[in-house]
Amino acid sequence: MNDIAQETVEQISEADFERFRSLFYRKTGIFFEPSKRYFVDKRLYERMKETGHANFRSYFTFMRFQASGEEFQSLVNAMTVNETYFFREHYQFEAMVSCLMDELSDIRPPGKDLRIWSVPSSTGEEPYSIAIYLLEYWRGLAERDVEIVSSDIDSRVLEQAKKGLYSKRSIQNIPAPVVNKYFKKTGNDYQLCDDIRESVSFCLINILAAKESRSLSRFDLIFCRNLLIYFDDQSRQRAAQVLYDALNPGGFIFLGHSESMSRICSLFKVRKVGDVIVYQKPLTGGSR
């Protein structure tokens, strides 16, 4: 690490901010409003100091043309927000086990695995919540195997997710008997058991990068909660097409409570399961 004092780092100009914002948007689909300027500048200064660059232009050239892409990934990690906890918006998990999994099982060929994609994974609370809910509350699991894949654009949180070590706050919404069944107290934290950790496959994916997103397909259920809120309209439309293409016919998508696919894309059928809104890919052309 190159230690450069804060006062020696040249201020980032408005033109430099626009240049960075444009590049970051093209590569990730994430658009920073002017109101986020302080947040962006703070993290850029941190990366400039860490890499030994006293001015933005030097850092930007280094980051943009580095062959390994390692610094851009570090910048993505710094710029993304990962705030989550187990059993968040639990009513969606309840809709999954009370209705959707049975419906999907009925339309898929016998013996075929059901596949679930959780994006973004953040530090793993969501995909692990899916696994726990299926084990605890879906009787069909005795007859149908389920594959869970979880992805994120942030390599740092993926490594945290794989470790499966969580604070008391992260697990506060899980019933005590379920905590005792799947977690072991380790100091002030809670270690998730190996069986649950091994039930989820994690991968580094930018869903707006065509080459990367094409590797994820044939899913029956997708949890894509609180990702689209970071995109502008154009990026949301691109993401919606990626999600649509990744689904098997008849498959479903859950979005965050403040998100609506209907305002983004007309390809999906809107379904209501109890009080929960889900979006379904029409069951045309048969199941794959």
Side-chain angles (χ1 to χ4, degrees), residues 33-215:
E33 298 287 350
S35 60
K36 296 289 185 180
R37 175 70 190 268
Y38 175 77
F39 169 87
V40 172
D41 281 7
K42 184 173 184 292
R43 281 149 183 80
L44 282 172
Y45 286 135
E46 289 170 355
R47 294 310 309 161
M48 288 164 64
K49 290 168 62 180
E50 183 74 17
T51 55
H53 293 270
N55 63 77
F56 174 81
R57 293 185 181 182
S58 172
Y59 170 75
F60 187 79
T61 300
F62 161 73
M63 176 269 295
R64 185 177 181 185
F65 297 107
Q66 184 186 36
S68 68
E70 183 178 348
E71 178 54 27
F72 183 75
Q73 183 61 61
S74 295
L75 193 56
V76 168
N77 295 352
M79 292 291 177
T80 49
V81 178
N82 299 281
E83 179 70 22
T84 187
Y85 49 86
F86 279 88
F87 289 15
R88 182 179 61 167
E89 298 177 26
H90 62 90
Y91 46 85
Q92 293 187 332
F93 299 125
E94 291 167 4
M96 172 184 71
V97 297
S98 67
C99 176
L100 300 186
M101 294 301 290
D102 287 335
E103 182 173 332
L104 289 166
S105 191
D106 287 343
I107 64 177
R108 299 294 177 245
K112 188 177 181 64
D113 291 359
L114 295 179
R115 303 185 73 232
I116 299 175
W117 178 19
S118 172
V119 55
S121 76
S122 186
T123 45
E125 286 92 335
E126 178 163 295
Y128 289 141
S129 292
I130 295 169
I132 291 172
Y133 247 85
L134 290 172
L135 280 168
E136 287 293 301
Y137 307 115
W138 187 48
R139 289 175 295 179
L141 197 60
E143 301 175 357
R144 180 80 68 159
D145 288 335
V146 178
E147 179 184 359
I148 303 173
V149 177
S150 191
S151 67
D152 205 287
I153 196 173
D154 185 334
S155 60
R156 177 196 54 205
V157 296
L158 288 171
E159 291 306 311
Q160 289 181 248
K162 292 173 185 177
K163 293 176 182 176
L165 190 65
Y166 296 99
S167 67
K168 185 175 182 179
R169 179 187 176 279
S170 288
I171 66 166
Q172 64 184 343
N173 291 334
I174 307 178
V178 179
V179 171
N180 294 334
K181 188 173 182 179
Y182 297 110
F183 292 84
K184 180 180 179 180
K185 188 83 157 51
T186 304
N188 293 325
D189 295 321
Y190 293 79
Q191 178 67 63
L192 184 62
C193 70
D194 290 345
D195 286 346
I196 298 295
R197 290 166 57 200
E198 292 168 2
S199 71
V200 179
S201 299
F202 291 97
C203 55
L204 182 68
I205 293 288
N206 174 2
I207 71 166
L208 295 185
K211 290 182 180 180
E212 297 178 27
S213 62
R214 279 198 295 267
S215 67

